[in-house]
Amino acid sequence: MNLDFGFLSWDVVSSFVAKGFLFSIQLTLVAMIGGIFIGTLLALMRLSGRPWLVTPAALYVNTLRSVPLVMVILWFFLLIPLLIGRPMGAELSAMITFTVFEAAYYSEIMRAGIQSVPRGQVFAGYAVGMTYRQCMQLIVLPQAFRNMLPVLLTQTIILFQDTSLVYAIGAYDLLKGFEVAGKNFNRPVETYLTAAVVYFVICFSLSMLVRRLQQKIQIIR
């Protein structure tokens, strides 16, 4: 088998791959921001000690963490249009699905970060007249985010890798862009190999940045 990568010119990349790459980045950022926000709320619910908050949050997190992502993608894509009575589109469905799904994982990361903050600081906040909300907002959450930042970014790298699963609903992501280029030029092997290299370079580079960030945080501590 002869491999020929010569067809992968800038014109091919800009015509087929760039659109998918931009959507993969957009999906990653939306799911990261939304997932961290919802995940933080879920973490606070689980740590509240109130059964009416703990139970639904724990059920949410444990259920989604026990189901393969590709199944959740298909569920949202197929079931939500039945509930709302109109099609939602693959791209919008993917953004909602990833945000909801990743929130369960970010929740556990934030719960660990909140628990890593010494309780004495919370008690000190209460001693000076702070409410529970003020303690969380001004003392606990800033430290939790700093402590868990490398882990949050590592989960985001995994999230970027998982965006390739939107092929199941036909969304045009980075992998789909390479696939379409391969079909148009009848070079599927070359395009899939190139896609693997691109994913590796992006994820490995980001992993090195996260490692350096982790070292800096450890020095600050």
Side-chain angles (χ1 to χ4, degrees):
M1 180 178 61
N2 295 323
L3 299 179
D4 181 14
F5 294 89
F7 72 97
L8 286 171
S9 63
W10 172 249
D11 290 336
V12 172
V13 172
S14 60
S15 299
F16 298 100
V17 180
K19 176 184 175 182
F21 177 70
L22 290 176
F23 176 71
S24 292
I25 295 298
Q26 182 184 12
L27 177 57
T28 301
L29 292 177
V30 169
M32 178 191 70
I33 296 171
I36 290 177
F37 177 75
I38 299 174
T40 301
L41 294 179
L42 290 170
L44 292 174
M45 289 171 64
R46 296 194 69 179
L47 294 171
S48 66
R50 300 172 181 175
W52 59 278
L53 290 175
V54 174
T55 301
L59 183 63
Y60 178 102
V61 172
N62 294 329
T63 299
L64 287 179
R65 284 170 59 90
S66 303
V67 179
L69 174 56
V70 68
M71 291 183 63
V72 180
I73 292 173
L74 290 172
W75 287 349
F76 273 75
F77 182 69
L78 297 174
L79 295 180
I80 290 184
L82 295 178
L83 297 176
I84 64 177
R86 59 184 178 86
M88 187 167 51
E91 285 75 15
L92 179 58
S93 176
M95 289 185 183
I96 296 175
T97 302
F98 272 79
T99 300
V100 170
F101 185 84
E102 292 299 324
Y105 288 85
Y106 284 121
S107 170
E108 291 298 275
I109 295 172
M110 287 307 304
R111 186 159 70 103
I114 292 172
Q115 290 178 326
S116 70
V117 178
R119 294 293 297 172
Q121 297 191 24
V122 178
F123 296 144
Y126 290 152
V128 297
M130 286 187 175
T131 63
Y132 174 80
R133 179 178 178 180
Q134 290 174 327
C135 284
M136 282 292 169
Q137 183 177 354
L138 301 176
I139 298 176
V140 178
L141 288 181
Q143 295 185 72
F145 275 111
R146 188 196 67 184
N147 294 342
M148 293 295 104
L149 184 58
V151 186
L152 291 170
L153 294 178
T154 299
Q155 180 62 33
T156 302
I157 295 173
I158 297 173
L159 164 60
F160 174 74
Q161 296 172 342
D162 288 343
T163 58
S164 61
L165 293 176
V166 298
Y167 79 89
I169 57 176
Y172 201 103
D173 71 314
L174 177 59
L175 183 60
K176 184 70 173 180
F178 278 107
E179 180 187 359
V180 172
K183 288 181 178 178
N184 276 270
F185 291 89
N186 197 27
R187 291 289 180 180
V189 176
E190 289 89 338
T191 51
Y192 279 122
L193 287 174
T194 305
V197 171
V198 170
Y199 274 101
F200 173 79
V201 170
I202 293 174
C203 295
F204 182 78
S205 301
L206 293 175
S207 297
M208 292 299 99
L209 290 175
V210 170
R211 182 175 298 180
R212 293 186 62 182
L213 177 62
Q214 187 173 18
Q215 292 172 348
K216 289 185 178 180
I217 290 178
Q218 290 175 345
I219 292 174
I220 294 174
R221 291 178 185 174

